[in-house]
Amino acid sequence: MPLPQEKLYTLEDIYDLPNGERAELLDGRIYYMAPPSTQHQEIAGELYATIRNYIRQKGGACKTFIAPFAVFLNKDPFNYVEPDISVICDPSKIDEKGCKGAPDWIIEVVSPSSISMDYNTKLFKYRAAKVREYWIVDAVKDMITVYYFETGEMNRYGFSDMIPSGIFEDLKIDFTQLDL
C-alpha cells in the first residue's frame, strides 16, 4: 500500500491566508510565523536603518527592505520567504510583489519560534539560492553568525563587536552604537 502523499502548497495558498496571518513557504510546506517581539523589531529596525543610511550616503543602487517583504527565492510557486532584512543590488529582481530570485544579503533576527528555521532550513535554502551573505542575529546568545557564501567563510561575532559586511567593503556595523 503506498504511503499517503503530503499536500504541496503553493504561492496561491499563501495569498489565500486570512488577512494578517503570515507564513513562509519552503519546498511546498507552509510555516506559520508568530508575531515578532519588541526586541526583535528594535534589532531589525536599527539594522535596516543603518544599512539603508549607509547605501544612501554612498549613493549606492542597492535597495534595503524590512519584513514583511516577499522574496521568491527560486522563481517557482513552492518557495516564498519574508526575511527580516533583504538587500537587493540588482533592480531587475524587484517588482511590485517583491524580489524575484535571491537577494544579495539577508538578515534574520532569531525568535524563539524560528530557531531551527533560521539556523538550518533557511541557511540551506539561502545558500542554494545564491544569496551572497546571510546574518543570523541571536539576542538570546548575544551572537551574530555571518555566512559569506561567496568565499565560504563563516564567522561568529558578539554584540560588542564591529561586524564587517562582505557586500560593502567599508561597512562595519557596531552593535554597541545601535539603539537597542
Side-chain angles (χ1 to χ4, degrees):
M1 180 170 168
L3 294 173
Q5 287 284 348
E6 183 178 333
K7 177 178 171 37
L8 283 181
Y9 294 92
T10 67
L11 290 172
E12 193 171 306
D13 296 301
I14 292 292
Y15 291 132
D16 287 343
L17 289 173
N19 203 13
E21 189 159 5
R22 290 180 53 214
E24 294 178 308
L25 183 67
L26 292 165
D27 296 326
R29 294 187 67 197
I30 290 182
Y31 297 89
Y32 292 94
M33 300 165 67
S37 69
T38 302
Q39 180 186 41
H40 179 283
Q41 290 301 89
E42 287 177 337
I43 293 169
E46 285 289 317
L47 288 169
Y48 166 80
T50 300
I51 296 165
R52 185 202 63 213
N53 290 343
Y54 167 85
I55 291 169
R56 284 184 177 173
Q57 288 171 354
K58 296 292 185 176
C62 299
K63 297 287 184 186
T64 307
F65 297 92
I66 194 164
F69 177 73
V71 173
F72 306 93
L73 278 178
N74 301 335
K75 300 181 189 176
D76 67 33
F78 304 107
N79 289 281
Y80 164 93
V81 291
E82 291 184 5
D84 291 312
I85 300 170
S86 301
V87 178
I88 301 140
C89 299
D90 179 353
S92 71
K93 289 183 177 182
I94 302 169
D95 67 15
E96 71 284 347
K97 290 188 176 185
C99 177
K100 304 280 197 262
D104 293 272
W105 182 8
I106 288 178
I107 299 175
E108 295 282 9
V109 179
V110 175
S111 296
S113 63
S114 73
I115 293 169
S116 179
M117 286 289 286
D118 294 338
Y119 280 103
N120 298 306
T121 308
K122 287 184 176 179
L123 170 63
F124 172 76
K125 292 302 284 185
Y126 293 161
R127 181 182 4 219
K130 304 279 191 245
V131 170
R132 294 169 58 198
E133 184 168 342
Y134 175 41
W135 289 24
I136 303 170
V137 180
D138 193 329
V140 171
K141 293 181 179 178
D142 192 37
M143 183 174 67
I144 301 95
T145 305
V146 179
Y147 293 91
Y148 304 102
F149 292 136
E150 290 181 312
T151 63
E153 293 178 61
M154 183 275 289
N155 292 311
R156 287 197 172 95
Y157 302 92
F159 273 46
S160 61
D161 294 327
M162 293 280 287
I163 304 169
S165 165
I167 303 295
F168 304 108
E169 266 184 41
D170 60 345
L171 173 61
K172 291 182 173 64
I173 296 180
D174 183 352
F175 269 68
T176 65
Q177 297 301 305
L178 301 180
D179 188 18
L180 304 176

